[in-house]
Amino acid sequence: TSMLIIALPWIESSVLGEKYRQASHLVPLWGLYFLLNALRTVGTTLLTCFGAFKALFWQGMGSLTILMVSCAALMPVWGVTGALSAMIAVEVTELVVNLVFLLPNSKKTLQLLSKPLPTEQ
């Protein structure tokens, strides 16, 4: 992200042209989005390994709903910045849900399933 911020004035003038002349304020938002996305992806991958497919399905449905509502509310006011803000809000929501609810519950379930059965004697 820092390299892009440093190189952005040259990129704007030489590559992007007039249409994207004011794109520099979006770079930090994109950087934040990709950071949150990477963190959330780690949690989602762990949940996939734990077999929490039903929880991931419902999380995806909830995230889609949040994204649609957020975009409808923020894009008319802030345009592209609103769309990025909506995407960031979804990533934050998913990351918190993963860390606070889904991962601890999945780990408990996996531990219960991996315990050996008591033997009768």
Side-chain angles (χ1 to χ4, degrees):
T1 303
S2 59
M3 288 300 293
L4 187 56
I5 290 172
I6 292 168
L8 196 59
W10 177 81
I11 293 171
E12 285 178 334
S13 64
S14 303
V15 178
L16 297 178
E18 282 300 316
K19 185 176 179 183
Y20 299 101
R21 175 109 17 230
Q22 302 301 322
S24 60
H25 74 282
L26 298 175
V27 173
L29 287 174
W30 277 113
L32 178 61
Y33 170 76
F34 286 123
L35 172 70
L36 292 168
N37 181 270
L39 293 172
R40 195 254 328 138
T41 299
V42 171
T44 301
T45 302
L46 285 172
L47 287 166
T48 302
C49 292
F50 293 154
F53 302 112
K54 186 176 180 180
L56 286 171
F57 171 78
W58 287 112
Q59 182 186 50
M61 295 299 291
S63 296
L64 178 61
T65 303
I66 292 169
L67 183 63
M68 289 176 16
V69 170
S70 299
C71 281
L74 298 176
M75 285 179 67
V77 179
W78 293 331
V80 175
T81 304
L84 280 170
S85 299
M87 291 167 48
I88 289 169
V90 168
E91 291 296 332
V92 167
T93 303
E94 283 194 16
L95 182 62
V96 169
V97 169
N98 283 352
L99 292 176
V100 175
F101 298 109
L102 298 181
L103 281 170
N105 288 340
S106 293
K107 284 171 52 175
K108 286 178 192 173
T109 303
L110 188 63
Q111 288 171 347
L112 288 174
L113 292 175
S114 65
K115 281 187 178 179
L117 295 172
T119 58
E120 293 183 34
Q121 295 191 11

